Amino acid sequence: MFAKKINLNSSLVSNFFSLVILQGANYIFPLLTIPYLFRTLGVETFGLISFASAFAQYFVILTDFGFNLSGVQFISINRDNKQLRDIYFVHVLISQLFLFLVGLVILLSVLFIFNKFNHDKWVYLLSYMTVFGSVLLPTWFFQGIEQMKYITKINIATRTLAIIPIFFLVKSDADYLLVPFFYGLGSIASGAIALYIAKSKFGVNFNLTTVSLTGIKKCLKDSSDFFVSRISVSIYTVSNTFILGLVLGNTAVGFYAAAEKLYLALQSMFGPLNNALYPYMIKHKNIKMFKKIFIIVIVINCISLPICIYNSGFIMQLVYKNVAIESINTLKILFGVCLISVPSILLGYPLLGAFGHTKFTNYTVIVASLFHVSMLVVMWFFNSITVYSVAMLVVLTELLVLGLRANGVRKLIINN
C-alpha cells in the first residue's frame, strides 16, 4: 500500500536513494581511514586531528549560515523561476565567501593569541581547507531541485581520490599533517566540480553584475534564523569533542571521537530520509505519507538499536582492533542517543519546518543548547567533566529536544 502512495520514479524516491548513497559515502569513507589512522597515529595524535576537525566545523557552520536549510526552501519554491534562482545562487555564494574571510581572520587571531592552538597551527590551517570546500559545494541547490544524484557522484569520486594517498603516505604520527591536507583537497575538488555542473547542466548564470549589498544583506537576514538553529545544534554535538579537548586533552578526545564516529555513522543512516523529505514536504505537505514513514522509522529504530548497544564491544573491536573500555562504554551511551534523536530530527524541519513553524523548530534547539551549556558549566565547576558525563549529557539534551518538538507537533499541527 505504501508503494502505491509513492511513485517509484518520483523525485522524492530518486532524491532519497541519492542521499542514502551520499550519506553512506560520507561515513563509510572515514570509517575506512579512521581505524588505520587510530592505529598509525596513536590515540593522542588521532585526538588532535579530531579536535582540529571539530574546531573547523564551527567555521563550516558560520559559512553555511543556515543556507543548507533556507537555500533548500527557497530553491524548492522557486525552482521554475530561473532568473530568480540564479540571482539567489550568486548572492548566497558571495555571502559565504565573505563569511569564509571573516572566519579566516578569527582563526588567525586564535592561532596568534592562544598557545594551545599556536603550537599546532598547521593542523588547524590545513583543516580550514574543508571550510573553503563547503563554501564551494552548493548542496542546498541540488537538494532544492531534488537532483542530489550529482552531488553523490561527485562526493564518491573526490573522496576516493582523497583517501587513497593516506594509506600510502601516512606511515607514522610524523605524517599527521597529510591527513587534513588530503581531506581538505578532496573537499575543495568536490565544490569546484559541483559549481561546474550547476553552470553546465542546470544553466546557473554566475553573473556578478546582479550582486548587490542589499541582496547580500537580505540573504543573510532571511537565513539568520536557520543559522541560529545550526549553531545551537553544534553546541551539543560538535562542542562535546571541543570541550573534552580543552579540559582533558587530546587523549580523551581520541577515546570519545572513536565512539562518536560510529554513532554518527549509525545516525546518518536516517539522514537521507530527513533531507529528502524536507523539500518534498515543503512542496506537497503530505502529512499522511509522513505519518507512515515516521512509524516505519520508529519501528526500525527500536529493533536495530538495542542490538547495536548490546554488541558495542564487538563493533568497536571489529573496526578499531584494539580499543579502550572508555570508548566501548561511550559508544553504548551514544547508540542510546539515536533512540531519541532520530524521531526528534524527523519532527523538526521535515514536519514542523515544512508547515511553516521554522521559528518554533529553531526555538527547540536554542533551549536545548542553553541547557547543554549550563550543564557543562556546572560539570566544569564541580570538576566532573569526563568522557562518560559528556555522553550522558547528550542523552538528556536530546530528550529535551524531543519533548519540546513532540509537544509542538501536538499543539501546532495535530490540534489544528
Side-chain angles (χ1 to χ4, degrees):
M1 183 175 179
F2 180 70
K4 291 180 181 178
K5 291 289 184 181
I6 306 175
N7 182 351
L8 291 178
N9 293 319
S10 69
S11 58
L12 171 63
V13 176
S14 174
N15 210 36
F16 168 70
F17 282 111
S18 295
L19 284 162
V20 167
I21 298 170
L22 175 62
Q23 199 78 339
N26 284 340
Y27 286 97
I28 288 173
F29 280 119
L31 285 177
L32 292 175
T33 56
I34 285 170
Y36 175 77
L37 294 175
F38 192 82
R39 294 191 298 269
T40 305
L41 301 179
V43 176
E44 186 174 358
T45 306
F46 176 76
L48 172 62
I49 297 293
S50 299
F51 181 78
S53 177
F55 189 48
Q57 285 304 304
Y58 286 113
F59 297 105
V60 170
I61 293 166
L62 170 65
T63 54
D64 170 62
F65 208 77
F67 289 122
N68 272 340
L69 291 171
S70 63
V72 173
Q73 187 178 67
F74 184 93
I75 297 298
S76 180
I77 294 170
N78 300 285
R79 69 177 71 183
D80 297 323
N81 188 333
K82 184 181 181 304
Q83 183 180 9
L84 190 62
R85 192 184 70 184
D86 288 357
I87 292 173
Y88 181 80
F89 193 113
V90 177
H91 275 90
V92 169
L93 187 59
I94 296 298
S95 299
Q96 289 187 294
L97 288 171
F98 167 73
L99 293 170
F100 171 81
L101 294 176
V102 171
L104 183 59
V105 171
I106 294 172
L107 174 63
L108 293 174
S109 300
V110 170
L111 296 181
F112 180 76
I113 296 171
F114 299 100
N115 288 332
K116 175 179 173 59
F117 292 90
N118 184 265
H119 182 264
D120 297 300
K121 57 181 175 294
W122 282 110
V123 73
Y124 296 107
L125 288 169
L126 289 172
S127 296
Y128 198 73
M129 290 172 64
T130 59
V131 181
F132 186 56
S134 71
V135 168
L136 298 180
L137 187 66
T139 303
W140 50 271
F141 173 77
F142 289 94
Q143 192 176 339
I145 61 174
E146 298 186 83
Q147 293 291 335
M148 285 298 292
K149 61 184 180 182
Y150 294 99
I151 294 294
T152 301
K153 292 175 182 177
I154 294 167
N155 197 278
I156 291 174
T158 54
R159 280 178 176 267
T160 301
L161 294 175
I163 69 170
I164 288 175
I166 289 176
F167 290 105
F168 287 98
L169 299 177
V170 179
K171 297 298 182 183
S172 70
D173 59 351
D175 304 319
Y176 73 101
L177 288 178
L178 292 175
V179 179
F181 172 73
F182 285 120
Y183 281 159
L185 200 61
S187 178
I188 292 171
S190 294
I193 295 170
L195 287 178
Y196 173 77
I197 290 176
K199 179 176 176 59
S200 61
K201 184 72 178 179
F202 298 99
V204 174
N205 184 11
F206 300 108
N207 186 1
L208 296 180
T209 61
T210 63
V211 177
S212 66
L213 185 60
T214 303
I216 292 173
K217 287 181 178 178
K218 187 176 188 309
C219 268
L220 293 172
K221 182 177 181 297
D222 291 346
S223 195
S224 59
D225 284 343
F226 296 94
F227 170 67
V228 171
S229 173
R230 286 293 307 279
I231 198 70
S232 298
V233 171
S234 74
I235 289 175
Y236 59 88
T237 52
V238 177
S239 290
N240 296 318
T241 303
F242 188 70
I243 292 298
L244 284 170
L246 290 179
V247 178
L248 301 179
N250 293 329
T251 301
V253 173
F255 290 142
Y256 186 86
E260 187 184 44
K261 298 294 183 185
L262 295 178
Y263 149 67
L264 291 175
L266 180 64
Q267 188 183 60
S268 73
M269 293 173 62
F270 299 96
L273 179 62
N274 178 66
N275 293 334
L277 267 178
Y278 181 46
Y280 179 85
M281 289 295 290
I282 289 172
K283 188 174 182 180
H284 300 286
K285 294 183 171 56
N286 189 344
I287 196 162
K288 289 184 178 180
M289 187 193 71
F290 178 88
K291 286 181 181 179
K292 291 182 179 181
I293 292 175
F294 185 79
I295 292 170
I296 291 171
V297 169
I298 296 302
V299 171
I300 293 172
N301 211 25
C302 291
I303 292 173
S304 61
L305 285 172
I307 297 173
C308 291
I309 293 170
Y310 181 78
N311 291 289
S312 294
F314 171 75
I315 294 171
M316 290 292 287
Q317 292 292 338
L318 183 67
V319 175
Y320 295 105
K321 307 302 181 187
N322 297 314
V323 290
I325 189 65
E326 289 90 342
S327 293
I328 295 172
N329 290 335
T330 302
L331 183 62
K332 290 180 179 180
I333 298 170
L334 293 178
F335 273 167
V337 173
C338 284
L339 286 167
I340 308 161
S341 63
V342 170
S344 174
I345 291 169
L346 288 176
L347 292 179
Y349 283 102
L351 184 59
L352 287 164
F355 276 83
H357 303 297
T358 302
K359 288 188 176 180
F360 178 81
T361 308
N362 294 339
Y363 161 80
T364 62
V365 292
I366 293 171
V367 171
S369 65
L370 291 174
F371 167 77
H372 198 84
V373 169
S374 300
M375 292 303 297
L376 282 174
V377 171
V378 171
M379 288 161 58
W380 174 79
F381 183 79
F382 287 101
N383 197 29
S384 60
I385 289 182
T386 66
V387 173
Y388 297 149
S389 64
V390 169
M392 286 302 302
L393 180 57
V394 176
V395 176
L396 296 177
T397 304
E398 291 288 359
L399 271 173
L400 177 60
V401 176
L402 178 60
L404 290 171
R405 288 185 175 180
N407 188 50
V409 169
R410 180 181 63 82
K411 288 183 175 180
L412 299 173
I413 296 179
I414 294 176
N415 289 349
N416 292 321

